[in-house]
Amino acid sequence: MTSPGDAAPVKPPPSFSPGVPRGASKTRYPNQRRDSSPSLDADLAGSRVASPTPPLSATTSELPIRSASPRTPSFRSSTPQLARSSLGSPVEGRFEGSEEIRSLIIRSFSPVVGVYASADTDELVRQKGFAGGFWQLIRPFGENIPGKLVIRDSVGASRSWEDYGVRFVDLGNNNQSPPESSGGRSSPLAHVEEVLEKQLGSLDDPLGGSLYPKDFLGFPSTSPLYKLYLRQLLSIASATPHETFRHPVACVIAISSRNIAPLETLRRLYADTNNGDKRVPDWIHPEYLRYYVLVHDEDRDDITESTKLYDQMKRHFGLHCHLLRLRSNQCVVTDDDSVQVPECEWLSPSERLYGRTEPLVDLDTGGLPHVFESDVMAIRAFVRELVAQSVVPYMENRVAVWNDQVASRRRGISGRFMSMSRRWAGFGSGSRSSLTSGGASGNYDTAHGYYRFDAPEAVLRKMADFAFMLRDWKLSASTYELLRSDYANDKAWKYHAGAYEMSAVSMLLSPSSMSTKVKIEAIDQMLETASYSYLTRCSDAPNTLRCLTLAMELLKSRGGSAVESAARWAMRVMDQSLAGSIGQGLFSERISACYAARNAVPGMKWGSRRRKAGMWSVFAADLWLRLGKPSLASAALEEAERLYADVLQGDGVFSMPEMQTFIDNLRHAVKVEYLEARGLDTRDETATAAALGTEETSEQLDRRKNRKSLIVNPLDSGLSPTQGMRDNDNAADDDFERA
């Protein structure tokens, strides 16, 4: 990333001088490095032809390109159709894909299942072409459980889910730390930014053509680039003491039919996970479910012997066992029953950058191996049985036990009395209080910064996280609320921040909550406390960004007045420079999407925020232009035209001449950058004017050649990255209302 240049920018009007987020790269105008993003054969002034560019992932389907709306004003000249809008801003309440984002957030908090296989099992799977062994083979199939999965909540009500999944992690490999990236950029957020940069640079037109999905009415849905960003942000979390989402709920212990001492091997593997090399730290609960798997080699071993061994396993280890029948021969693409292994959706940024050899985008095979169709069916049946008959019932049982034995006591009168006694008089403290804790409960180890797994505070946090992963958000919200004061009294600030964050997220996900403005204000207060504790007290930028991003998306999905609060939290992300240069552009688009989701009062003409949405879309266009991405800048300008369609004058002209000049200059800069990316020499004024469809003189072209930004640098004006945006945004709204 490069800082903004020192060249004098084109000055916008005095009342329209928004700030630019720190860390954004320079705008590359005609004399700068060419960008390889746009690669089109259609003329600049014509309609855009759908690009054959493949989608970001297998879940992105190719849909037809929406033509420009005939009712959209032209701002005196139409925006070049370099790419379609990447915003998710509905028109008049149309569906925008909020349920898809909501499902993505819910699925990111899935139970973690460890995988620990014997050496003979890994060797069998390596013969099939999977260098990572048994874990690599089954990992992609756990992210989406086939069919409906029924889960019971704390009151016994059942609900079926079709998007449930688990995360398989490898317990057999302790050396998974990625190498340091060049330039010292080794933080998780820097890795996320590198993934986005790699994605934008991997294709000539990374987000054009069919990569702009549409909803069922043909309007733009959420950008695939933003979905990738959100997925990567939610994938960077690792196992930490203050939350248990990445702690193992179960462990798959696998042996193969080739093993000469199968029962002894299973006992040894269990001992390794219990008190051996694979033993979890003191802040992870060691009592998690063990699930035993016998992998039968269909090509070389006798199924009768394997069945006898499987019956012995059930007698020795209980009903949590499974016989998995796989072929050991390697499958090739030319086989009639070959099936490509699905791509992992929840790869961490480090894995995308350093742990894979195949490309990020699936081009035909994408480097993914193939397996036999019988193997796929067997693995899917195994994963479903594991989750539906073992993992989910185990979690339901543990939540019921902890709720009865721990939480109910804390909610009762005696529990409240003991809490007050610990807080004010020091009674009831553990024997370790004088040695390990300066807090009120005596259970928090200040030297190491965590609670032991058997402390009531740790058990309740695990219970709340289990309830959250079981999607019982009412129980999880009440449990997080029960813990917040205890963490504050013990000065366990990361626990404190996490409890406030997940309490707010649980309330936002609960369908029965958030029905009044008062509750929205309470949610805002929780998020304020969580972000302050994360960033100021713990210096934890990744969790701060996760907290604010979840708040923005879930508040936006609520609609109504909640979208105003969602936009404010997105602005907070830009104010605190939590996102990189690409992230700043994506958040500008999301702010525009938030305001666009605010509809007018029924029967009235006021209440809409279309002008604010259009303005933030213009800001996003300038940010993409500074990064040398004219196709994305053009998409943002096109979205701004659509948003301004209903609020401008009949001829589509701004009432303020300075504002109109600013928009015209920005559009022209996008066109010039686009022509440079196509290899056209902009020093040829005649050819440039003909390509642009204008009558620009050489003097006008020269004045535009070396500009660094169309928006004033906030570092020069002393403003925060979004303070100028908000001030001028509100001032423009006031002027419009008076007009």
Side-chain angles (χ1 to χ4, degrees), residues 211-223:
L211 285 179
Y212 281 96
K214 308 296 185 293
D215 62 19
F216 63 97
L217 290 177
F219 286 84
S221 182
T222 307
S223 164

Side-chain angles (χ1 to χ4, degrees), residues 249-322:
V249 174
C251 178
V252 173
I253 299 177
I255 62 170
S256 73
S257 55
R258 301 178 180 179
N259 197 289
I260 58 176
L263 297 181
E264 291 75 7
T265 302
L266 288 174
R267 293 190 179 96
R268 178 180 57 81
L269 296 177
Y270 170 80
D272 288 344
T273 62
N274 190 40
N275 52 19
D277 296 338
K278 310 306 176 186
R279 185 178 185 274
V280 295
D282 290 339
W283 39 269
I284 295 181
H285 207 292
E287 297 179 3
Y288 50 86
L289 176 70
R290 268 70 170 189
Y291 194 88
Y292 303 92
V293 176
L294 172 61
V295 180
H296 169 71
D297 186 354
E298 289 278 86
D299 293 324
R300 292 175 176 81
D301 293 332
D302 185 6
I303 185 60
T304 304
E305 297 297 327
S306 296
T307 303
K308 293 179 181 179
L309 177 58
Y310 176 61
D311 293 336
Q312 292 180 358
M313 289 173 53
K314 289 192 293 184
R315 288 195 297 269
H316 284 81
F317 302 103
L319 297 179
H320 297 294
C321 299
H322 186 84

Side-chain angles (χ1 to χ4, degrees), residues 544-557:
T544 306
L545 180 58
R546 185 190 73 173
C547 174
L548 298 182
T549 305
L550 293 179
M552 175 194 67
E553 292 299 339
L554 294 177
L555 284 169
K556 178 181 177 296
S557 67

Side-chain angles (χ1 to χ4, degrees), residues 662-716:
F662 174 80
I663 295 293
D664 291 341
N665 290 342
L666 180 60
R667 182 187 302 107
H668 181 86
V670 171
K671 292 180 179 180
V672 171
E673 180 97 359
Y674 172 75
L675 293 178
E676 274 241 325
R678 293 186 63 184
L680 181 64
D681 188 2
T682 55
R683 291 176 296 182
D684 187 350
E685 291 84 2
T686 303
T688 302
L692 294 177
T694 61
E695 297 180 356
E696 298 286 351
T697 64
S698 59
E699 291 80 4
Q700 289 173 317
L701 289 173
D702 290 338
R703 287 198 302 267
R704 292 183 170 96
K705 279 189 176 180
N706 293 316
R707 295 180 309 197
K708 302 301 179 185
S709 176
L710 295 173
I711 298 179
V712 171
N713 188 348
L715 301 179
D716 298 335

Side-chain angles (χ1 to χ4, degrees), residues 73-77 644-645 647-657 659-661 664 736:
S74 61
F75 294 166
R76 295 179 181 171
S77 63
Y644 276 125
V647 296
L648 294 183
Q649 300 174 3
D651 56 354
V653 178
F654 286 92
S655 57
M656 295 179 291
M659 179 68 178
Q660 186 64 56
T661 302
D664 291 341
F736 177 75

Side-chain angles (χ1 to χ4, degrees), residues 443-463:
N443 294 322
Y444 183 63
D445 189 343
T446 56
H448 299 90
Y450 62 80
Y451 293 94
R452 279 180 54 87
F453 68 89
D454 54 352
E457 294 83 1
V459 172
L460 286 177
R461 173 66 203 227
K462 192 173 185 65
M463 169 192 158

